[in-house]
Amino acid sequence: MKKTAIVCGAGGFIGGHLVNRLQAEGYWVRGVDLKENEFGNDKADDFVIGDLRDPRVCESLFDRKINEVYQLAADMGGAGYIFTGEHDAVVMHNSALCNLNMLEASRINGVDKIFYSSSACMYPEYNQLDPDNPKCSEDSAYPAAPDSEYGWEKLFSERLYLSYMRNYGMEVRVARFHNIFGPQGTWDGGREKAPAALCRKIAMAEDSGEIEIWGDGLQTRSFLYIDECLEGVRRLMQSDWPGPVNIGSEEMVSINGFVDMIAKVAGKTIHKKHIEGPTGVRGRNSDNALIHEKLGWKPTQPLEVGIKQTYDWIAEQIRIRESVEA
Ligand code: NAD
């Protein structure tokens, strides 16, 4: 018999890719989201349009034995959505309800294993003030001091899943994603994250043109390509270890350096105009010591390889949009 899985957030970027990965591995997959996948990027056997803030919707997903649940649904966006403060209440309310309801429905219906996608945003700001020396090892989470309410909700929900594991014996797996990027993700409209936003700006700029960058560009980050992320997720699910664990890359770049990398991929000379904008912590990098020790995993390809695939896809989206508008 085929293994069965529910992917919550299948209309989104990582969820859509995860549906396809599970399908390719032979699973029967049910996707669920508020919306269909914007880029048609899911091959779910069954796709439910539903709101996970409603416990009845969560309950209705279990009309058969479900082996695995992947809870990726969240009220989510890049710095322009998460760090302005304007969406704090809805982000916390919406994402917490999705987690509370889905976890409880999974418990009642005897799911074998449940995966929760936390975020590096739950790490304390005080360890991420120096762009050259951020600390994001799993054991550095406390005393807690995330720099956003999005991060606080992630921390709350991690604890929620782990308490279900302790009190109800549920098989829980928790990963902290660090800036996942790739094709078929949001690239425009206000919720896009830095890699997609910078690819879009550079694709739309003339050669020798200028793009706007939020902050001084000296802030550092690492970025992980979607396929690598899914490999980490699947290994975690197949292991007997709950985490929480970082799933990210240790190839840290400054935002200025990242812009130069994308410009090189695009074959353009790009000038940077630094403007005021939400930037998040000064420095962040994944620490992969624990995942390497426990799961023998680390990313396999350099950042530039994934950037080339992402840039080409976004440039193509822009061409399609322009041809429709023309
Ligand atoms: P995304 O925004 O593309 O996908 C999230 C999906 O959840 C969306 O399609 C959205 O419609 C859906 N959703 C929101 N509220 C819902 C509700 N009430 N009912 C049903 N569906 C709902 O985001 P993503 O980048 O694919 O991220 C997936 C998960 O990974 C999220 O939990 C996010 O917080 C986490 N994460 C992502 C990153 C990253 O770099 N992309 C980093 C850290 C953590």
Side-chain angles (χ1 to χ4, degrees):
M1 250 217 352
K2 274 190 170 191
K3 274 186 126 183
T4 55
I6 295 175
V7 176
C8 306
F13 166 53
I14 303 174
H17 284 276
L18 179 60
V19 166
N20 297 346
R21 166 92 194 224
L22 291 169
Q23 267 274 347
E25 288 186 31
Y27 279 69
W28 179 92
V29 190
R30 167 172 286 154
V32 55
D33 202 295
L34 289 171
K35 58 175 174 68
E36 276 172 22
N37 192 282
E38 202 179 329
F39 307 106
N41 186 40
D42 80 82
K43 299 190 176 75
D45 297 274
D46 180 46
F47 195 97
V48 176
I49 300 286
D51 188 339
L52 300 171
R53 290 171 299 184
D54 181 345
R56 289 164 302 186
V57 170
C58 296
E59 182 57 36
S60 73
L61 301 171
F62 296 90
D63 60 353
R64 65 190 72 201
K65 167 69 186 171
I66 298 293
N67 298 115
E68 296 176 8
V69 168
Y70 294 80
Q71 205 317 72
L72 285 86
D75 200 345
M76 164 66 179
Y81 186 73
I82 295 296
F83 296 128
T84 59
E86 288 165 38
H87 310 107
D88 287 349
V90 288
V91 163
M92 296 191 90
H93 178 263
N94 293 346
S95 297
L97 279 182
C98 292
N99 285 312
L100 287 159
N101 292 339
M102 208 49 215
L103 184 54
E104 179 64 1
S106 299
R107 180 186 76 80
I108 291 168
N109 290 285
V111 160
D112 298 337
K113 266 187 199 173
I114 182 163
F115 172 86
Y116 173 55
S117 56
S118 182
S119 164
C121 288
M122 50 63 64
Y123 283 114
E125 187 178 18
Y126 57 76
N127 279 334
Q128 303 172 80
L129 299 174
D130 176 356
D132 297 323
N133 283 303
K135 182 173 161 74
C136 290
S137 54
E138 288 81 351
D139 61 2
S140 70
Y142 297 97
D147 71 328
S148 66
E149 301 300 354
Y150 168 78
W152 278 105
E153 190 281 326
K154 288 291 185 194
L155 192 55
F156 162 76
S157 290
E158 279 190 10
R159 299 187 67 101
L160 177 72
Y161 282 80
L162 295 173
S163 67
Y164 266 62
M165 182 176 74
R166 286 195 308 276
N167 292 166
Y168 299 126
M170 281 181 80
E171 287 282 352
V172 161
R173 302 288 179 269
V174 178
R176 297 170 178 162
F177 291 161
H178 289 243
N179 291 318
I180 314 304
F181 75 97
Q184 279 109 15
T186 306
W187 57 277
D188 205 0
R191 284 188 187 237
E192 66 279 16
K193 302 188 77 188
L198 293 172
C199 284
R200 184 197 70 231
K201 287 180 186 184
I202 291 172
M204 294 180 78
E206 303 289 328
D207 191 15
S208 295
E210 182 180 78
I211 65 160
E212 291 185 339
I213 296 171
W214 291 347
D216 59 14
L218 300 176
Q219 66 271 29
T220 52
R221 291 293 185 277
S222 67
F223 303 95
L224 184 71
Y225 191 65
I226 180 69
D227 293 356
E228 310 255 27
C229 167
L230 297 182
E231 182 62 27
V233 170
R234 293 294 297 134
R235 284 194 189 210
L236 179 62
M237 277 300 260
Q238 283 157 356
S239 82
D240 54 10
W241 178 61
V245 69
N246 292 328
I247 294 187
S249 158
E250 290 182 331
E251 186 182 340
M252 189 169 81
V253 287
S254 70
I255 296 301
N256 286 334
F258 192 40
V259 169
D260 293 341
M261 182 188 285
I262 302 170
K264 185 178 146 217
V265 162
K268 293 181 182 179
T269 302
I270 293 292
H271 302 284
K272 307 176 193 88
K273 182 180 179 190
H274 296 284
I275 60 163
E276 284 280 309
T279 56
V281 292
R282 284 301 284 165
R284 175 171 292 155
N285 194 10
S286 186
D287 181 327
N288 290 350
L290 187 63
I291 195 164
H292 194 245
E293 178 198 322
K294 297 282 189 187
L295 305 180
W297 177 86
K298 59 182 178 186
T300 58
Q301 65 181 28
L303 174 58
E304 195 170 324
V305 174
I307 282 298
K308 167 97 179 83
Q309 281 152 298
T310 309
Y311 179 85
D312 288 349
W313 181 80
I314 291 177
E316 178 64 14
Q317 301 309 300
I318 293 168
R319 273 193 293 278
I320 293 169
R321 185 170 70 182
E322 285 172 354
S323 70
V324 170
E325 284 168 3

